[in-house]
Structure formats: C-alpha cells, structure tokens
Amino acid sequence: MPEARLISPITRQAMAKSRVAAYCRVSSNSADQQSSYANQIRVYTSMIQKRRDWELVEIFADEGLSGMKAENRTEFQRMIRMCELHQIDLIITKSVSRFARNAKESLVYVRKLKLLGIGVQFEKEGIFTLALGDEMLLNTFSAIAQEESKAISQNQRLSIVKRMEDGEYVDSNAPYGFRLMNKELTVYEPEAEIVRSIFRMYLNGCSTTEIARELNNRRIQTKTGKGTWRSAKVAYILRNERYIGDCRYQKTYRDTTVPFKQYANRGQEDQFYAKGTHAPLIDQDTFGKVQSLLQKRQENFSKVATQNIYPLTSRIQCSECGSYFRRRLVSGTVKWACCRHINDRNACESSYYSEERIYDGFTAMVNKLRFGEEDILGQVISRLESAVLLYKKNNTAAREMSQSIAELNAKLLMLEQLRAKGYLAPEVHQTQSRDINNQLAKLKKERQTELDSHIIQMLDDVKHLKTILEELEDPLERFDEKLFTEVVKAISIDHNDEMTLTVIGGLRFTELI
C-alpha cells in the first residue's frame, strides 16, 4: 500500500489583508457637528484596527461642507483618486447621506468604484455595494437623502427671504473695506481708505484697468490676500451699493432642484433694496457721480465696432518669429499668415496657409487619436498612472502630514470628552480647540499642495481628453468647431509646413499641412 507523507511548508502564506479607508463628513463647523466628526474618526479607526483581515489606509474627512456637490469636497476627491490608482479595496462610511446627498452623484461614484472592484459599506443602512441587489436600496436611500437636503434648503431659503423683506438680512460675506462684527457690517479703515482712493482715481479719469494696475504696483492685497487686482474687481467695488450704507438683496438666485446651481438674477426672482442698513463708506454724491461716469463710458464703449472672431483667431503662432497669424482673403480663398510676413515678406520665412488645410490637419489628428490602432492616449495614461503611483508611494512628507492630522483629530476628541464631563472650562476648551483647528487647516493645506503635483493634473487632463474623443462614434469627415475649441489650447506653424497642436494635458501632436 502506498505511503503518504506530509511535507509542511517552510513559511506559511500570510493572510491577504484588504486595504480599507473610511469617509466622514460634517456639514457645519458647530461644536455639535465637530463632536460628531471627531466621533466618526475615532469609531472607524478602532473598527478597522480590530479586524485582522483589514489594513487601515486612511480616514478621509471633509469638515463644514455640504454633501450636494462632490467636486467641492477635497478629501472625497482625494479618496476617489487613490481608488483609481488601486490603493484602496474597501470604503466604509456612516450612512448614504454622509457619502452624498445628491442621488445622481452617489450612484455615479458607487458604479465607478464598482467597476474598479471597490465596494462601499454603508453602516446605518446595512448596504454593501458589491452585493447583488443592494444598488436598488442605495438608489432609494440616496433619493431620500436628496429630498431631506432639498427640504432643509427650502426652509432656509424662506427664512432668508423673510429677513430680506424686513431689511434685516446680513450677508456673511463682507465686501472689501468692511468686516462683520456682531452680525453688522463695520467699516475696516485699513481697507476703507483703499476703497475711497479707488473712487477718487475713477473720478479723476483713470480706467478700471489703470486702477487695478496701480493697486498691484503698490502691492495692495485683495480681501483674500490671494491673486491680483483686476478691472472686474475694481468695477464691482465702484458699482456696489453697500459702500453707501444700502443693501440690494438677491442679486443671484439658486435652482430649487439639485444641484442648486446659482445664477445672476435678471428678473427671475424678486429683489429687495434696503436703505441705511449699516454705516456708509462713500458719500451719496461721490457714488452718484461714479455711476453716471460708468454709464457714460459703457455707452461709448458699446458704440465701438466689434471685431470678427473666428475659430483660429489668436490661436496660431508663428514658429519662426513668434507673431500671431491673421486671416486674409486671397483670390477668393480664406488663408492665414504670420502678421509680420503679411507686412513684409522678407521679415519672416513663414507663408500663407489655406484655412481648409489647417482644418484638415486638426481633423487628421483627432481621427488618429480616437481611431488609431496604437491607442496613443491609452499608452500616455498608463505611463502617467505609473508615474503618479511611484510619486505617491515615495511621498513620505504627505504620509507624515496625514499622521499628524490623525493625532490632532484625536486631541480634539479628547478635549470634547473632557468638556462634556466638566473637567475643562468652556473658554479653555474653545481656545484649545481653535488652536488645534488652525493647525489642522494649515496641515491639510500643506498636504494638498504636496499631493497636487503636475503629473496628477496632467493625468486628469489627458483622461478628460480621452473621454471627450470617445464620444465620437465615427471618424470626423469635416471640421468640428466645438470640438476644436474644447480640446486645442495652442497651434504653431513653421516654414516646413509642420503644424503643432497643443491639446488638453499639454500634449503636442504635429501634422504636415
């Protein structure tokens, strides 16, 4: 009889662990919401660490943000990007409403993750998205969460409109030159003097562009301290009635349906004008003169004949001298040529190119990218994904920041527990919580800067380009102006008749025309 002998392995295979992330969100910065936020972090950290078959990737958390638009939630978007790079196997979250209050967005992201083989586990509703039949439940709960959000929004809107009618509404966004103190607009002198000088310069004959240039030369900061002064910002200040102590309410309005898009109010909704709601910064006489001058200049400007704009206008640059191409009619044919060459043939070696040849070059490039066997964009995306994965894997600075953020969140939770038990005075709790929240905000900003590399942005852009081109079901037979405007960022043509097109993502493709 044959004899069998057991051969034990030298090393046993380790248990494969699922890489798990948790997502938390609170919609306001109130103390109760902050307590809920800290609680969610503590619960999910503990839950994941207790499972031997789970490995904690990170706790993603958005504070003080609505769940209606995913694009506004930076941590949510960062989590989705990590999923696309196959760094997460499972996401757990408290409820459908924490994940998203927009039913359409909720299903879009869940299906996207499902295609990547990543499940989402909703604790409250007991839904696991990789399980058969659970998508119907998710659809139902998402719709309920969306309706709850709509009801809350409508109730808030009615309350705001009532306060507008009574002239009691105070916008939380104070204009430049004011600060919001005890729910009242108060003049902030360091900025108020700049506003007065803007009005004086305009009445002295300066244009809004010249005023913006002067403010930038003097290194005057904008309200946010970011960006530069532009003519549109200056014009907004000159037209703003709040500088004479009045308020015009409901200059914009929102849709009553998801995703609550905002529009300029051009008569679609009632507006309310309240006088003397706060201390003025500019006197009535000065403000009236500025409005008259603005109106006069607007009327003069509107009389100027508008220039014809074509798809190629200010798009083509000469590779030889750097000048832009202009449109010309030559023997009944529309042609484009370098403006220096047009003025003096000897000044530039460039030549005239028929509009049809340029359009054909664009059409040929699009067809190669969309229908070519090489799948050029697919190869580019694959290489960029590898580069991004390597970048994130070696990014120790971002990992250390994430660890510091987790530690600060734990401190916040401890402070909240001490306050609840009466061991910590309210004013001490408030001061220490504010300091920690400031540290958290700074760390999150630094981490986002660390993660937002040029490679990641380029990958997103190239994926977007591929998505646009995949909408084409058949090869292009004629020039598509909409597609051209959407994907082409710049064009250059050299004296060898080579046209280089720069498209979304900074990719360059050359066609002989």
Side-chain angles (χ1 to χ4, degrees):
M1 181 179 179
E3 188 176 320
R5 183 167 61 90
L6 173 66
I7 303 173
S8 299
I10 297 171
T11 56
R12 293 194 178 273
Q13 188 175 353
M15 179 190 296
K17 290 189 175 184
S18 295
R19 296 165 298 177
V20 183
Y23 178 72
C24 315
R25 179 183 66 80
V26 291
S27 54
S28 75
N29 287 315
S30 66
D32 288 344
Q33 292 276 285
Q34 286 297 321
S35 175
S36 168
Y37 165 73
N39 233 9
Q40 289 179 59
I41 291 175
R42 179 181 59 80
V43 168
Y44 286 123
T45 303
S46 174
M47 179 192 295
I48 294 169
Q49 287 176 346
K50 283 178 182 177
R51 291 279 299 261
R52 292 181 59 195
D53 56 334
W54 283 3
E55 178 186 356
L56 175 62
V57 176
E58 195 172 336
I59 306 291
F60 297 89
D62 285 305
E63 304 168 69
L65 293 171
S66 165
M68 292 310 300
K69 287 186 178 180
E71 63 189 34
N72 296 336
R73 293 182 276 154
T74 53
E75 285 292 277
F76 183 86
Q77 291 298 334
R78 192 167 68 85
M79 178 179 72
I80 295 298
R81 283 200 295 272
M82 286 183 69
C83 289
E84 290 172 340
L85 295 169
H86 305 289
Q87 295 175 337
I88 297 171
D89 300 318
L90 173 66
I91 296 169
I92 54 174
T93 188
K94 182 180 177 182
S95 66
V96 172
S97 63
R98 295 299 91 194
F99 191 74
R101 279 195 182 273
N102 183 327
K104 183 181 176 182
E105 273 195 353
S106 180
L107 289 173
V108 165
Y109 280 104
V110 162
R111 286 169 180 166
K112 181 178 184 176
L113 293 170
K114 201 170 184 179
L115 288 171
L116 293 168
I118 300 166
V120 183
Q121 188 169 303
F122 299 99
E123 297 296 310
K124 182 180 175 182
E125 294 85 2
I127 296 173
F128 180 54
T129 56
L130 294 184
L132 293 173
D134 273 9
E135 186 168 310
M136 182 79 69
L137 281 172
L138 175 63
N139 197 358
T140 304
F141 282 115
S142 296
I144 292 169
Q146 179 173 311
E147 287 305 313
E148 286 175 356
S149 183
K150 283 171 65 178
I152 293 167
S153 176
Q154 285 167 4
N155 289 338
Q156 289 176 339
R157 186 75 202 140
L158 289 170
S159 170
I160 290 169
V161 170
K162 178 70 174 99
R163 280 181 282 153
M164 286 178 177
E165 288 176 351
D166 297 338
E168 297 173 353
Y169 179 71
V170 180
D171 194 337
S172 59
N173 184 26
Y176 186 82
F178 288 99
R179 288 293 184 271
L180 202 60
M181 305 289 289
N182 299 320
K183 296 185 178 181
E184 286 186 6
L185 284 178
T186 307
V187 174
Y188 180 61
E189 277 304 325
E191 292 177 358
E193 188 50 45
I194 303 300
V195 173
R196 294 185 190 107
S197 70
I198 288 172
F199 276 81
R200 282 196 300 269
M201 283 190 281
Y202 193 75
L203 287 177
N204 289 335
C206 292
S207 68
T208 53
T209 302
E210 289 169 336
I211 295 171
R213 189 184 300 123
E214 174 63 20
L215 294 173
N216 289 325
N217 290 339
R218 287 165 57 187
R219 299 188 183 279
I220 303 294
Q221 288 194 335
T222 60
K223 184 186 169 185
T224 59
K226 300 175 184 176
T228 55
W229 286 91
R230 300 191 184 279
S231 61
K233 284 184 182 178
V234 174
Y236 179 78
I237 287 175
L238 293 171
R239 289 192 174 93
N240 198 336
E241 76 291 337
R242 287 198 276 183
Y243 291 111
I244 54 170
D246 298 346
C247 277
R248 182 158 60 91
Y249 300 125
Q250 211 152 237
K251 295 176 184 177
T252 60
Y253 72 98
R254 291 183 183 274
D255 280 338
T256 54
T257 56
V258 174
F260 305 127
K261 287 184 180 179
Q262 190 171 19
Y263 304 95
N265 187 357
R266 306 189 190 281
Q268 294 89 343
E269 297 286 341
D270 291 336
Q271 291 192 359
F272 307 93
Y273 195 97
K275 291 189 174 184
T277 57
H278 55 276
L281 198 156
I282 299 293
D283 63 85
Q284 292 274 359
D285 184 51
T286 301
F287 189 79
K289 287 177 181 177
V290 166
Q291 302 318 299
S292 299
L293 187 55
L294 281 166
Q295 182 65 30
K296 184 179 177 182
R297 288 185 179 180
Q298 181 65 36
E299 288 171 358
N300 291 338
F301 180 77
S302 62
K303 291 175 184 177
V304 178
T306 55
Q307 179 187 3
N308 288 327
I309 303 295
Y310 303 96
L312 298 177
T313 300
S314 301
R315 287 296 194 107
I316 311 173
Q317 199 168 10
C318 178
S319 297
E320 308 303 323
C321 68
S323 301
Y324 280 95
F325 275 42
R326 288 182 186 167
R327 189 178 188 268
R328 285 290 181 268
L329 201 62
V330 181
S331 302
T333 303
V334 176
K335 294 193 175 186
W336 290 79
C338 163
C339 60
R340 285 191 67 190
H341 181 80
I342 291 171
N343 296 331
D344 181 2
R345 288 177 178 272
N346 298 319
C348 180
E349 293 182 20
S350 185
S351 184
Y352 282 81
Y353 297 91
S354 72
E355 191 171 79
E356 188 178 0
R357 284 169 65 187
I358 297 170
Y359 285 170
D360 286 347
F362 166 74
T363 303
M365 179 203 72
V366 168
N367 288 337
K368 284 177 186 176
L369 292 179
R370 173 64 180 91
F371 301 100
E373 293 180 2
E374 299 88 352
D375 187 20
I376 297 168
L377 293 181
Q379 291 184 49
V380 171
I381 289 169
S382 179
R383 290 180 183 179
L384 283 173
E385 283 179 338
S386 299
V388 168
L389 194 60
L390 188 64
Y391 169 78
K392 290 205 169 184
K393 186 178 179 182
N394 297 330
N395 197 338
T396 53
R399 283 206 302 273
E400 287 170 2
M401 287 178 198
S402 294
Q403 182 61 37
S404 300
I405 288 169
E407 289 169 1
L408 287 171
N409 279 321
K411 286 182 181 178
L412 269 180
L413 178 63
M414 184 179 69
L415 284 175
E416 182 59 35
Q417 289 172 339
L418 290 172
R419 184 195 65 82
K421 291 178 180 178
Y423 297 151
L424 203 63
E427 58 273 15
V428 176
H429 170 265
Q430 188 177 9
T431 303
Q432 293 189 7
S433 294
R434 184 170 59 246
D435 291 342
I436 292 174
N437 279 318
N438 289 338
Q439 291 178 54
L440 276 170
K442 185 181 177 183
L443 270 174
K444 286 182 178 180
K445 188 177 179 181
E446 288 174 357
R447 182 177 65 181
Q448 194 58 42
T449 304
E450 188 69 33
L451 290 172
D452 286 345
S453 75
H454 172 69
I455 306 172
I456 296 171
Q457 185 58 53
M458 188 177 181
L459 175 60
D460 289 342
D461 289 342
V462 176
K463 282 183 175 179
H464 180 51
L465 173 63
K466 197 172 194 306
T467 302
I468 292 170
L469 295 184
E470 281 176 348
E471 292 176 8
L472 296 174
E473 296 181 359
D474 299 303
L476 281 182
E477 294 181 357
R478 61 178 65 86
F479 178 71
D480 187 325
E481 183 180 337
K482 183 177 179 296
L483 181 64
F484 174 83
T485 307
E486 199 170 0
V487 304
V488 175
K489 298 301 176 187
I491 303 173
S492 61
I493 300 177
D494 63 21
H495 71 283
N496 294 319
D497 301 340
E498 289 184 342
M499 179 175 72
T500 302
L501 298 107
T502 305
V503 297
I504 297 172
L507 301 179
R508 291 186 177 91
F509 301 98
T510 301
E511 292 290 335
L512 194 64
I513 59 172

